[in-house]
Amino acid sequence: MTTLSLIGIGTGNPDHLTLQAIREINAADLVLIPRKGEGKADLAELRRAILREVLTNPATLVAEFDLPVRDEAVADYRERVDGWHDAIAGVWEAAMGSPRPARVALLVWGDPSLYDSTLRIAARLSPAPDLRVIPGITSLQALTAAHAIPLNTIGGPVTITTGRQLRDHGWPEGAETLAVMLDAGGAFMAIPSEGVTIWWGAYVGMAEEIVLAGPLAEVSERILATRAEARARHGWIMDIYLLRRM
Ligand SMILES: C[S@@+](CC[C@H](N)C(=O)[O-])C[C@H]1O[C@@H](n2cnc3c(N)ncnc32)[C@H](O)[C@@H]1O
């Protein structure tokens, strides 16, 4: 039986790795690194850099594989994603080889529980491996740390959502603090800005980190301009923000 360890590696800072993550990497026979294509080369390189720093077991092999691209011709979103996850599971199978090694590890950005499909893809493997999850620092934690703020108000609720949800459905009923991820850019422009404060961060936890905060009405344009400039300079961007309406 193969054990597949999904190891949360934090959000791009090798110092985010826990001692548990480092031990798990070194216990693996094989570590798989996904390559996401030119535009996101930094993320594969970051995984390589992490391994150069923490992998000390000479018996551990490292294999890279190309992530399949989503078939945008499929109109239905769920069908498109399901087909893509099937294809990724197939590529994992091939990268693991046959017979599968006893211990395989995948380095997962942030933590596998938060807007990440690694667990759903792992569930497609046949035969099913033994799954182990090693928690990692999420981009949400890296954001609140960068701004030195608590996530919630005293006893207050927090809603975690996506840029698309915010753009399509507006401010969720009853929400006080919103954490917005996976925003293709500026979904906060779609809501009334009055009384809303934003804490925004790009590349949080990384050397390139940029953070901005303030009343949404005052800083939204600056965030948009900063985001566009950073994206052009690096060739890619990941950003996350908290919105709080009091
Ligand atoms: C596919 S999700 C993965 C989230 C990850 N599993 C986590 O625990 O943070 C990608 C989204 O996470 C956020 N994200 C991940 N890393 C980030 C970083 N270093 N800086 C800012 N946002 C980040 C962005 O909202 C991005 O669109």
Side-chain angles (χ1 to χ4, degrees), residues 24-170:
E24 196 75 5
I25 288 170
N26 281 288
D29 300 305
L30 176 68
V31 181
L32 297 178
I33 296 189
R35 280 189 300 239
K36 293 190 178 173
E38 297 281 301
K40 296 214 171 168
D42 304 49
L43 304 191
E45 182 44 35
L46 209 124
R47 286 177 170 87
R48 288 184 207 111
I50 283 173
L51 291 180
R52 281 197 293 274
E53 204 167 313
V54 306
L55 178 57
T56 51
N57 180 355
T60 302
L61 299 176
V62 178
E64 300 201 1
F65 63 93
D66 290 317
L67 268 182
V69 283
R70 257 195 331 218
D71 183 356
E72 301 301 334
V74 179
D76 182 71
Y77 177 75
R78 279 306 303 264
E79 213 178 294
R80 192 159 68 231
V81 171
D82 278 348
W84 186 48
H85 287 171
D86 285 343
I88 297 175
V91 175
W92 285 8
E93 297 273 10
M96 281 190 270
S98 180
R100 285 184 193 164
R103 300 198 62 156
V104 179
L106 266 156
L107 308 184
V108 180
W109 196 261
D111 180 83
S113 69
L114 186 64
Y115 286 115
D116 186 278
S117 291
T118 313
L119 278 162
R120 279 181 281 269
I121 297 164
R124 289 166 148 81
L125 295 174
S126 173
D130 251 353
L131 270 186
R132 273 171 65 81
V133 173
I134 310 300
I137 291 176
T138 66
S139 48
L140 193 47
Q141 292 164 293
L143 176 74
T144 52
H147 285 283
I149 52 163
L151 176 59
N152 53 285
T153 60
I154 298 173
V158 176
T159 304
I160 304 175
T161 188
T162 66
R164 177 186 292 236
Q165 290 285 339
L166 186 63
R167 192 175 279 116
D168 291 353
H169 305 294

Side-chain angles (χ1 to χ4, degrees), residues 11 109-111 114-115 138-139 181-182 201 203-204 238-240:
T11 62
W109 196 261
D111 180 83
L114 186 64
Y115 286 115
T138 66
S139 48
M181 303 176 66
L182 290 162
Y203 319 101
V204 289
M238 279 205 284
D239 63 343
I240 178 168

